[in-house]
Amino acid sequence: MSCLSILLLIFVVSGLLNGWGSTTYPVVIGNYFTGYHVISVLSFVAITMFYYALVLLFIISIAFLIGVLTKSSVLSLGITGIVVITAFVLTENPQFSKFMTLTPFGYFDSASFVSGNSMTITYLEKWQVSLLFLLTIVIINMINLSLLHKK
């Protein structure tokens, strides 16, 4: 069963048990520095899922690149796991947090990023983060294609 179907199943079961609620329910996002804004819960969920999809594409691209370089799927999964965990740990470290805002690794916690509670929101706007993710994914995939064509 895929992750998406598990999430859908959880959503349907919780909706049946607790009720569906209103998609226009207000959610306050922002912080002291950026100001506070009110958006609907539907907008919040849609934006958060968009960033989760970008994070997933980014991790898949890294795993594919490592798989092309190592030619081993097990080694590729292991190295990708180590890279992602190391990046997450570095993101939480205050000494590296300013540097990590310039990499896609600093935005893995999509819900905190969208709500404005993330410590990594210091320099970049949300559209700039989307562009950073997409450009990184494109560059990684271009490297993958060039490595595959050399074989």
Side-chain angles (χ1 to χ4, degrees), residues 5-147:
S5 59
I6 292 172
L7 286 174
L8 184 63
L9 180 68
I10 290 171
F11 177 74
V12 169
V13 169
S14 67
L16 290 173
L17 294 176
N18 301 321
W20 297 102
S22 173
T23 57
T24 60
Y25 191 80
V27 175
V28 178
I29 62 170
N31 57 34
Y32 177 77
F33 302 106
T34 62
Y36 296 98
H37 307 284
V38 177
I39 63 172
S40 70
V41 74
L42 182 64
S43 298
F44 180 79
V45 169
I47 294 168
T48 303
M49 293 307 281
F50 171 74
Y51 282 108
Y52 278 134
L54 286 179
V55 167
L56 185 63
L57 282 173
F58 176 71
I59 292 172
I60 289 169
S61 296
I62 288 176
F64 185 65
L65 175 64
I66 293 171
V68 167
L69 294 173
T70 61
K71 298 179 182 116
S72 169
S73 60
V74 175
L75 188 61
S76 169
L77 287 175
I79 292 173
T80 303
I82 290 170
V83 166
V84 169
I85 290 170
T86 303
F88 182 73
V89 169
L90 289 178
T91 302
E92 298 298 317
N93 188 337
Q95 295 173 342
F96 295 105
S97 64
K98 288 187 179 181
F99 169 72
M100 295 306 282
T101 59
L102 302 175
T103 68
F105 295 110
Y107 302 94
F108 274 14
D109 187 5
S110 299
S112 292
F113 170 68
V114 172
S115 67
N117 295 328
S118 176
M119 293 303 293
T120 58
I121 303 175
T122 53
Y123 306 112
L124 302 176
E125 297 290 330
K126 288 181 177 65
W127 69 269
Q128 292 169 325
V129 173
S130 302
L131 188 63
L132 175 69
F133 265 113
L134 292 174
L135 285 176
T136 306
I137 291 167
V138 166
I139 290 169
I140 289 172
N141 287 330
M142 287 173 60
I143 293 169
N144 285 337
L145 288 175
S146 68
L147 288 173

